[in-house]
């Protein structure tokens, strides 16, 4: 056989080897994470339930899902071991402490438009919503565009400007 005919098969086997290798690495990392669990740490199961580890056995884990409520799970059912700050933020709603030295992000884009003093008057806001009652207040270019449409429709009917009538 020619080397060129074998090349696609070699590339395919190499790709399969690389894919299985990365999958094995992910499985090994997940197994190491599950083996490193300690009583008292917060975990998330693969079903999305948050709990605290009470006991770790060979193939199972005793979890406290609520105060006084314990459940036995397989170690494979643990999706992630969380650090204390993240677990408390998710389960108890604790807010993370903000860095006083860190950058503060403003709630609006006023800082992007330049400096504005505190006593400066507020800029008038323009309502961009369509209001049919103000047809006479339409800008001149909008009125001109409507006139052009009227002229074109009149020419399509075979009538000239100013000519009205019925068929």
């Amino acid at each position: 056989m020619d080397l060129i005919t074998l090349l696609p098969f070699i590339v395919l086997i190499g790709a399969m080897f690389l894919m299985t290798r990365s999958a094995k690495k992910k499985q090994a990392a997940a197994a190491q994470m599950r083996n490193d669990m300690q009583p008292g740490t917060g975990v998330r199961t693969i079903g999305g339930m948050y709990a605290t580890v009470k006991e770790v056995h060979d193939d199972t884990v005793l979890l406290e899902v609520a105060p006084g409520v314990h459940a036995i799970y397989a170690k494979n059912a643990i999706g992630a071991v969380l650090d204390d700050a993240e677990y408390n933020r998710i389960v108890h709603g604790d807010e993370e402490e903000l860095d006083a030295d860190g950058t503060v992000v403003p709630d609006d884009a006023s800082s992007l438009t330049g400096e504005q003093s505190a006593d400066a008057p507020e800029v008038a806001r323009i309502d961009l919503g369509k209001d049919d009652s103000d047809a006479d207040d339409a800008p001149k270019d909008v009125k001109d565009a409507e006139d052009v449409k009227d002229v074109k429709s009149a020419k399509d009917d075979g009538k000239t400007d100013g000519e009205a009538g019925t068929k």
Side-chain angles (χ1 to χ4, degrees):
M1 289 185 121
D2 193 16
L3 181 64
I4 298 204
T5 58
L6 291 176
L7 188 61
F9 294 112
I10 293 170
V11 170
L12 183 64
I13 290 171
M16 289 174 47
F17 172 73
L18 291 175
M19 285 190 291
T20 57
R21 185 173 154 208
S22 66
K24 284 182 182 180
K25 282 185 179 181
K26 287 180 184 178
Q27 287 177 348
Q32 182 66 31
M33 174 215 35
R34 291 181 186 115
N35 289 332
D36 290 344
M37 279 189 297
Q38 300 292 329
T41 59
V43 296
R44 182 182 65 236
T45 65
I46 58 174
M49 183 178 66
Y50 293 91
T52 305
V53 176
K54 287 298 178 183
E55 296 177 9
V56 179
H57 301 286
D58 291 338
D59 293 332
T60 60
V61 178
L62 180 67
L63 299 179
E64 184 177 32
V65 295
V69 179
H70 296 89
I72 298 174
Y73 277 80
K75 270 190 177 179
N76 291 342
I78 304 301
V81 177
L82 307 172
D83 60 352
D84 291 335
E86 184 178 6
Y87 180 76
N88 288 331
R89 181 183 59 82
I90 293 170
V91 174
H92 303 297
D94 294 347
E95 294 291 328
E96 293 182 27
E97 292 183 21
L98 295 175
D99 256 348
D101 299 335
T103 305
V104 177
V105 179
D107 291 340
D108 59 0
S110 63
S111 65
L112 300 175
T113 59
E115 296 296 324
Q116 183 176 7
S117 64
D119 58 345
E122 191 171 317
V123 177
R125 300 190 186 265
I126 300 171
D127 184 17
L128 298 177
K130 184 176 181 183
D131 189 5
D132 293 336
S133 64
D134 295 335
D136 294 334
D137 296 338
K140 184 180 184 323
D141 58 342
V142 173
K143 288 181 183 177
D144 292 341
E146 291 172 354
D147 291 341
V148 169
K149 287 179 187 176
D150 291 340
V151 169
K152 285 184 180 179
S153 65
K155 286 183 181 178
D156 290 342
D157 293 337
K159 299 176 184 174
T160 60
D161 195 22
E163 190 178 287
T166 59
K167 291 185 177 182

